[in-house]
């Protein structure tokens, strides 16, 4: 659009800006620097709005995530309890002790050697600590 003195002005009409408020048309000088500055100012607002839209999940997705989190919390609780039990188990080389293994068909055997029992307890504690760390790393929110 030209005015009486021969300079050109651009009228920008925005129908729905990002902040949700209706604005009236504005007259801006038609310079590339002004347009670039305006565009640069809009980028953070657009990015914030896109991020907000992307972070809001449908209810089914949120419930699924809560269910997965509850399962991880239950697994962590079981591992922590088992680790506490193994660490509180009192074993001395001179006291009689045995560990009994039973498989799914109800067949079993026991071990009474104190060195084997000590190694098994140490291995069980290390493995439980490792699994506990893995589960805790998966719990994010």
């Amino acid at each position: 659009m030209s005015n009486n003195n021969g300079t050109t002005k651009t009228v920008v009409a925005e129908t729905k800006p990002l902040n949700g408020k209706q604005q009236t048309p504005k007259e801006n000088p038609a310079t590339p620097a002004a347009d670039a500055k305006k565009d640069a100012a809009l980028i953070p607002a657009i990015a914030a709005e896109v991020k907000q839209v992307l972070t809001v999940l449908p209810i089914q997705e949120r419930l699924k995530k809560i269910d997965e989190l509850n399962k991880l919390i239950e697994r962590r609780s079981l591992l922590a309890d088992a680790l506490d039990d193994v660490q509180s188990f009192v074993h001395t080389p001179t006291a009689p002790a045995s560990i009994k293994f039973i498989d799914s068909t109800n067949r079993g055997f026991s071990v009474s050697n104190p060195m084997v029992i000590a190694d098994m307890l140490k291995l069980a504690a290390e493995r439980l600590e490792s699994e506990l760390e893995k589960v805790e790393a998966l719990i994010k929110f």
Side-chain angles (χ1 to χ4, degrees), residues 29-58:
T31 62
D35 289 342
K37 194 173 193 181
K38 179 183 161 197
D39 291 344
L42 286 176
I43 290 173
I46 292 169
E49 209 168 295
V50 168
K51 183 177 180 183
Q52 182 181 9
V53 168
L54 292 177
T55 56
V56 176
L57 298 173

Side-chain angles (χ1 to χ4, degrees), residues 1 7-12 27-35:
M1 168 189 319
T7 61
T8 304
K9 291 187 177 182
T10 304
V11 176
V12 178
E27 287 192 15
N28 292 334
T31 62
D35 289 342

Side-chain angles (χ1 to χ4, degrees), residues 22-130:
Q22 190 69 25
Q23 295 181 352
T24 58
K26 300 177 185 176
E27 287 192 15
N28 292 334
T31 62
D35 289 342
K37 194 173 193 181
K38 179 183 161 197
D39 291 344
L42 286 176
I43 290 173
I46 292 169
E49 209 168 295
V50 168
K51 183 177 180 183
Q52 182 181 9
V53 168
L54 292 177
T55 56
V56 176
L57 298 173
I59 189 72
Q60 286 79 13
E61 292 283 330
R62 288 184 276 170
L63 291 173
K64 182 180 175 185
K65 287 193 177 284
I66 290 171
D67 187 44
E68 291 170 0
L69 184 60
N70 283 335
K71 288 177 184 177
L72 285 173
I73 291 170
E74 180 65 27
R75 183 166 179 218
R76 187 213 172 271
S77 177
L78 290 172
L79 288 168
D81 290 345
L83 181 60
D84 288 343
D85 290 344
V86 168
Q87 290 175 337
S88 65
F89 190 80
V90 178
H91 175 261
T92 59
T94 57
S98 67
I99 294 180
K100 186 171 185 174
F101 293 92
I102 300 174
D103 66 8
S104 61
T105 62
N106 254 358
R107 292 181 306 158
F109 69 95
S110 24
V111 175
S112 300
N113 185 316
M115 296 299 284
V116 172
I117 293 173
D119 287 346
M120 291 173 75
L121 290 172
K122 182 180 174 186
L123 179 64
E126 289 171 357
R127 180 59 184 226
L128 287 168
E129 287 173 352
S130 171

